[in-house]
């Protein structure tokens, strides 16, 4: 919280004056500060959320050059702070300093301007109470104006204000509900102390009738020597009043930060997030599996069974790793088969390597499109899984060998034993000739994977965004086809043009449609049914 709190009063001789102020400093802020950043840097109050006891101390406020030069020109009411106070938060490197004036010239100018406005032109109905004013140049101000009873003041009242100055307008306004009640507590303490002194003085020497009979010109000299105003210590008869204000202001600065925490606003859940939730709700086993996956120390491939993982065995870690080992053209072929829904079969003698390859490659698809059997002793049909790992000796059925909807990768170990991934041989075979034009989303994925200037964490987030973008197109297509009514081929072409897809993307869109969550499917189907039931 980049703020400074100050107590101001209206002197009948000198006008509005700053009496006392509290601000916070970070250790690095003892260096020189640019004028433009003076309030946000020098008076910064951004605190850690954890609280801890704060050590308090004091110092001579006469060290301030501004105070030294002004004290000879001001009365006792304007210059009543002889001792400043400092508090150190040991857990958070912040110190809170209270003195008569801010030490930085730019901050002093801003607080001085706020003081003048709070006790002159900026008033609320009834004069007492909180008010907001300010601008980008002079800062934003929450000012709470109040009076303190004084037996020797004109009208028996002396006007004061507590101002909070900061540059962040939204933060100040959002903190209004916290700051105003706490300022009221501080003000109430001051007024109670002053009222007690006022009552005692009136009991000892009633002066109201006498004052009403004197002339205004000689009033100032009749009320107590040549004092234009009495100090806050004298008005409250509390020699520790400024120490009390210091502690109160420090607490307000610290607590105001703790009550407002910065949070990121999340968008509606993605399809992958909805699918995770649906799978959790299906079985208790699903919950245990997801928990184990999230708590796995393997960040890149958390689904790999860690019980049979050998750190000395080669394995794939991410899609960039697969592209480097297979080569770009082979990777493009494999990825093209995957994104359009063909079954990927990986044969290999080393279970960990096969499983790691499947786990990495499924990152090309939305979660709802992934049905994986990491390692099976027999062939599993494509309706059961589109990612299948098997040992080298497993024979594929004839109908699969003659099909165009599968891709086979055989991982052959080097004769001299496993060394690194480049020492293995990868044989890729398929009976289908892929079209020359690949789906647009695959091209964009490959561009991201080939960018060597990005770390993989950034690339991974890029792939997530691309998949979600195209899942949104799939949702439009699903709604278009299931919302009732006949759809012509021309209508489909127009829809593809609207969503930014082309003919080469149709097969991908149809396959990715199978990955939509049950929640979204049911919502669209129920909406379509209700629409069809409405009479014309």
């Amino acid at each position: 919280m980049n703020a400074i709190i100050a107590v101001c009063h209206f002197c009948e001789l000198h006008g509005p004056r700053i009496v006392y102020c509290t601000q916070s400093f970070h250790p690095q802020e003892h260096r020189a500060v640019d004028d433009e950043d003076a309030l946000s840097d020098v008076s910064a109050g951004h605190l850690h959320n954890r609280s801890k006891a704060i050590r308090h101390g004091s110092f001579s406020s006469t060290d301030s050059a501004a105070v030294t030069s002004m004290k000879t020109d001001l009365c006792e009411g304007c210059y009543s702070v002889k001792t400043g106070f400092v508090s150190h938060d040991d857990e958070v490197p912040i110190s809170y300093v209270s003195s008569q004036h801010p030490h930085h010239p730019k901050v002093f100018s801003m607080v001085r301007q706020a003081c003048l406005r709070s006790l002159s032109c900026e008033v609320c109905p009834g004069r007492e109470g909180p008010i907001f004013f300010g601008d980008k140049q002079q800062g934003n101000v929450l000012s709470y104006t109040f009076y303190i009873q004084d037996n020797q003041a004109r009208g028996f009242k002396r006007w004061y204000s507590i101002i909070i100055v900061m540059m962040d307008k939204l933060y100040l306004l959002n903190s209004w509900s916290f700051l105003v009640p706490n300022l009221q507590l501080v003000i109430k303490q001051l007024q109670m102390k002053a009222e007690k002194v006022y009552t005692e003085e009136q009991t000892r020497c009633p002066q109201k009738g006498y004052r009403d009979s004197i002339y205004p010109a000689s009033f100032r000299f009749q009320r107590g020597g040549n004092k234009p105003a009495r100090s806050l210590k004298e008005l409250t008869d509390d020699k520790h009043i400024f120490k009390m204000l210091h502690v109160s202001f420090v607490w307000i600065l610290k607590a105001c930060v703790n009550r407002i925490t910065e949070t990121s606003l999340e968008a509606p859940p993605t399809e992958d997030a909805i699918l995770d939730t649906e799978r959790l709700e299906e079985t208790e086993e699903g919950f245990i599996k997801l928990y184990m996956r999230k708590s796995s120390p393997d960040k890149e491939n958390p689904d790999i069974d860690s019980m049979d993982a050998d750190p000395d065995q080669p394995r794939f870690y991410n899609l960039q790793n697969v592209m480097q080992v297979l080569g770009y053209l082979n990777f493009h072929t494999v990825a093209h088969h995957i994104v359009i829904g063909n079954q990927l079969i990986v044969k290999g003698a080393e279970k960990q390597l096969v499983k790691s390859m499947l786990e990495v490659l499924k990152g090309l698809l939305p979660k709802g499109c992934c049905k994986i059997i990491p390692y099976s002793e027999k062939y599993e049909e494509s309706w059961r899984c589109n990612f299948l790992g098997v040992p080298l000796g497993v024979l594929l059925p004839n109908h699969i060998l003659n099909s165009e909807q599968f891709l086979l990768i055989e991982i052959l170990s080097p004769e001299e034993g496993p060394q690194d991934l480049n020492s293995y041989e990868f044989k890729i075979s398929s009976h289908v000739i892929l079209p020359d034009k690949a789906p647009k989303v695959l091209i964009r994925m490959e561009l991201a994977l080939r960018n060597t200037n990005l770390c993989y964490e950034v690339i991974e987030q890029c792939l997530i965004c691309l998949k979600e973008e195209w899942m949104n197109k799939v949702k439009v297509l699903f709604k278009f086809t299931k919302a009732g009514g006949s759809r012509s081929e021309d209508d489909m072409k127009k829809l593809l043009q609207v969503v930014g897809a082309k003919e080469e993307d149709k097969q991908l869109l149809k396959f990715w449609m199978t990955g939509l969550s049950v929640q979204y499917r049911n919502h669209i189907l129920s909406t379509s049914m209700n629409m069809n039931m409405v009479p014309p």
Side-chain angles (χ1 to χ4, degrees), residues 318-341:
N318 54 52
L319 288 168
Q320 265 188 335
N321 189 204
V322 176
M323 179 182 283
Q324 292 169 356
V325 173
L326 297 183
Y328 172 71
L329 292 179
N330 286 334
F331 177 84
H332 176 76
T333 300
V334 173
H336 196 160
H337 277 276
I338 291 174
V339 298
I340 63 176

Side-chain angles (χ1 to χ4, degrees), residues 231-275:
S231 70
L232 196 58
K233 286 184 179 181
E234 190 176 353
L235 289 175
T236 58
D237 193 27
D238 185 354
K239 64 180 180 180
H240 300 298
I241 192 65
F242 290 111
K243 184 176 181 180
M244 183 273 287
L245 289 174
H246 169 77
V247 173
S248 300
F249 290 165
V250 167
W251 182 87
I252 289 174
L253 285 173
K254 189 174 180 68
C256 189
V257 174
N258 292 343
R259 64 175 293 273
I260 297 181
T261 56
E262 187 175 11
T263 57
S264 60
L265 298 177
E266 296 184 358
T270 63
E271 279 296 296
D272 285 353
I274 295 174
L275 284 165

Side-chain angles (χ1 to χ4, degrees), residues 193-359:
K193 291 176 180 292
E195 185 178 3
K196 184 179 178 180
V197 174
Y198 172 81
T199 303
E200 292 177 353
E201 290 181 346
Q202 281 282 21
T203 303
R204 291 197 309 266
C205 183
Q207 297 185 24
K208 185 175 186 332
Y210 173 71
R211 281 194 191 173
D212 292 341
S213 64
I214 66 174
Y215 291 101
S218 59
F219 171 72
R220 179 168 60 87
F221 300 99
Q222 295 289 338
R223 64 182 175 184
N226 292 325
K227 289 184 179 181
R230 293 194 289 178
S231 70
L232 196 58
K233 286 184 179 181
E234 190 176 353
L235 289 175
T236 58
D237 193 27
D238 185 354
K239 64 180 180 180
H240 300 298
I241 192 65
F242 290 111
K243 184 176 181 180
M244 183 273 287
L245 289 174
H246 169 77
V247 173
S248 300
F249 290 165
V250 167
W251 182 87
I252 289 174
L253 285 173
K254 189 174 180 68
C256 189
V257 174
N258 292 343
R259 64 175 293 273
I260 297 181
T261 56
E262 187 175 11
T263 57
S264 60
L265 298 177
E266 296 184 358
T270 63
E271 279 296 296
D272 285 353
I274 295 174
L275 284 165
D276 279 339
T277 304
E278 290 178 349
R279 290 170 181 172
L280 281 179
E281 294 173 351
E282 287 178 0
T283 61
E284 186 174 325
E285 180 182 356
F287 171 79
I288 296 173
K289 182 178 179 181
L290 186 62
Y291 175 79
M292 293 297 292
R293 183 165 75 242
K294 288 186 176 181
S295 60
S296 170
D298 183 358
K299 295 182 180 180
E300 295 291 346
N301 300 291
D303 283 334
I304 296 179
D305 186 3
S306 60
M307 295 183 64
D308 59 359
D310 184 355
D312 297 329
Q313 290 289 331
R315 56 181 293 187
F316 291 100
Y317 292 96
N318 54 52
L319 288 168
Q320 265 188 335
N321 189 204
V322 176
M323 179 182 283
Q324 292 169 356
V325 173
L326 297 183
Y328 172 71
L329 292 179
N330 286 334
F331 177 84
H332 176 76
T333 300
V334 173
H336 196 160
H337 277 276
I338 291 174
V339 298
I340 63 176
N342 291 341
Q343 186 182 38
L344 174 64
I345 304 171
V346 179
K347 282 187 174 184
E350 297 177 24
K351 182 178 179 181
Q352 178 175 299
L353 184 57
V354 172
K355 291 175 67 175
S356 69
M357 188 176 202
L358 293 173
E359 288 292 338

Side-chain angles (χ1 to χ4, degrees), residues 109-170:
S109 175
M110 296 170 71
V111 177
R112 172 66 176 158
Q113 181 69 19
C115 169
L116 291 171
R117 295 179 65 178
S118 71
L119 291 169
S120 57
C121 57
E122 305 289 352
V123 294
C124 61
R127 291 207 63 183
E128 286 189 278
I131 193 171
F132 171 84
F133 60 87
D135 52 54
K136 294 181 179 179
Q137 288 71 36
Q138 293 296 327
N140 300 286
V141 183
L142 189 162
S143 171
Y144 200 115
T145 308
F146 62 100
Y147 71 87
I148 289 180
Q149 288 186 309
D150 182 3
N151 194 44
Q152 298 181 12
R154 182 175 296 155
F156 304 102
K157 295 179 181 179
R158 192 163 301 283
W159 288 100
Y160 281 81
S161 68
I162 297 179
I163 58 176
I164 300 177
V165 187
M166 68 167 62
M167 299 304 299
D168 194 333
K169 179 180 179 179
L170 290 178

